[in-house]
Amino acid sequence: MQLRKVTAASAAVLALALSATACGGSDKGDDSSSGGGKKITVGIKFDQPGIGQKTPQGYSGFDVDVATYVAKKLGYNADQIEWKESKSADRETMLQRGDVDFIAASYSITPERQQKVDFAGPYLLAHQDVLIRSDDTSIKSPSDLNSKKLCSVTGSTSAQNVKDKLAPKADLQQYPTYSACLTGLQNKAIDALTTDDSILAGYASQSQFKDKFKLGGFKMTNENYGIGVKKGSDLKAKINTALEAMVSDGSWQKAVDKNFGPAGYKNEPAPKIGDVKS
């Protein structure tokens, strides 16, 4: 009888311990949480100035500002955000595996990606454009890129899109990084750099490049930046609500001006939630 009592008491203690662990053991945000966890994990780019960049001082860029605002609306302070690098090729996999709660990383909404993940937004409408030297008056339209040295990073389709559709005689140059393209542009080894205008503006806004480059303003494609979440996640609706608040209280425009303004970036108005431009 005494043994039975001790065993029952031990079981009760164990049940209480397990209950406490279940209530407070997780330190990562989940789909059903609105900020009750100790942290939220967010994917961003680490190597895109003006968009998402890791520096010795921390993290900066438009996507970082958007993600920080969204996280706050979800109930997380800035120091509760765990930032993870989300390279372009890894984004869908990171969401599907649950490595991150959401991704804000110059992540264009496309039908192919929507088969694998869900998107909140869009929160920015970007366009493929070119960056040229500030004193270059010879490139006024995409057709002027014919016979010009056009740079993009290795593996990107941006330069090929221009050659295929707009300037068949463009001389394509592939460099390993956008920074290398910028150096080539500055040294006149190339004539233009092409990718999304937001990315170009971010690079050109760096202090070392002040007043050296300008955007062509050609708007060759529509790139609808969305915030990626796991398929079926209820975070999508919550993030959409946060994005609407960011636009309405003026924080969205302040983030655009801060991160892209030095390059003379003429941004599109904040897109309506669900309005994906083809």
Side-chain angles (χ1 to χ4, degrees):
M1 182 65 71
Q2 185 67 25
L3 178 60
R4 187 178 298 118
K5 287 181 179 179
V6 172
T7 303
S10 300
V13 171
L14 179 60
L16 284 171
L18 290 173
S19 175
T21 302
C23 291
S26 174
D27 64 352
K28 186 177 185 298
D30 57 41
D31 289 351
S32 62
S33 170
S34 59
K38 294 181 180 179
K39 68 179 179 180
I40 189 167
T41 307
V42 181
I44 57 169
K45 291 292 181 67
F46 277 15
D47 59 352
Q48 288 185 343
I51 299 287
Q53 185 178 29
K54 182 180 181 180
T55 70
Q57 292 74 41
Y59 301 91
S60 64
F62 180 70
D63 283 348
V64 174
D65 290 343
V66 170
T68 301
Y69 185 100
V70 167
K72 185 175 181 180
K73 287 294 184 181
L74 294 175
Y76 297 89
N77 296 323
D79 61 0
Q80 293 175 298
I81 302 173
E82 178 185 351
W83 302 105
K84 277 196 175 183
E85 184 175 17
S86 297
K87 296 180 180 179
S88 296
D90 299 334
R91 290 176 296 201
E92 286 83 43
T93 302
M94 292 180 72
L95 288 169
Q96 291 168 339
R97 284 194 312 229
D99 296 341
V100 292
D101 293 296
F102 67 82
I103 289 178
S106 55
Y107 201 2
S108 295
I109 301 171
T110 68
E112 294 77 17
R113 290 169 179 163
Q114 287 176 308
Q115 297 297 315
K116 302 175 181 177
V117 300
D118 285 341
F119 285 96
Y123 63 92
L124 183 72
L125 176 59
H127 306 281
Q128 186 180 340
D129 201 355
V130 296
L131 195 70
I132 56 180
R133 289 181 293 277
S134 296
D135 60 357
D136 189 341
T137 59
S138 67
I139 301 175
K140 299 177 181 178
S141 70
S143 62
D144 292 330
L145 295 168
N146 281 307
S147 301
K148 299 287 188 179
K149 293 181 179 178
L150 179 64
C151 186
S152 194
V153 297
T154 303
S156 169
T157 59
S158 298
Q160 192 63 48
N161 286 341
V162 173
K163 187 174 177 66
D164 289 345
K165 301 174 183 178
L166 300 167
K169 295 182 181 178
D171 181 8
L172 298 187
Q173 304 284 316
Q174 289 194 331
Y175 282 36
T177 64
Y178 289 117
S179 295
C181 282
L182 279 169
T183 300
L185 186 59
Q186 187 174 3
N187 297 337
K188 299 186 178 182
I190 61 170
D191 301 303
L193 162 60
T194 186
T195 188
D196 296 358
D197 53 7
S198 56
I199 297 173
L200 295 173
Y203 275 99
S205 294
Q206 295 177 96
S207 58
Q208 66 267 37
F209 297 130
K210 183 176 174 60
D211 299 325
K212 293 181 179 179
F213 305 118
K214 62 183 178 183
L215 290 162
F218 298 158
K219 298 184 178 181
M220 294 180 279
T221 64
N222 290 328
E223 304 296 336
N224 302 270
Y225 287 5
I227 293 181
V229 297
K230 191 174 184 178
K231 200 76 173 171
S233 171
D234 67 354
L235 276 180
K236 176 181 175 179
K238 296 174 183 178
I239 292 172
N240 279 334
T241 299
L243 292 174
E244 288 174 334
M246 187 176 188
V247 173
S248 64
D249 69 14
S251 299
W252 183 89
Q253 189 61 52
K254 288 180 182 177
V256 170
D257 294 341
K258 181 183 79 171
N259 292 291
F260 305 133
Y265 178 63
K266 295 179 176 59
N267 66 280
E268 297 277 6
K272 300 293 185 184
I273 298 300
D275 184 14
V276 178
K277 303 291 186 185
S278 58

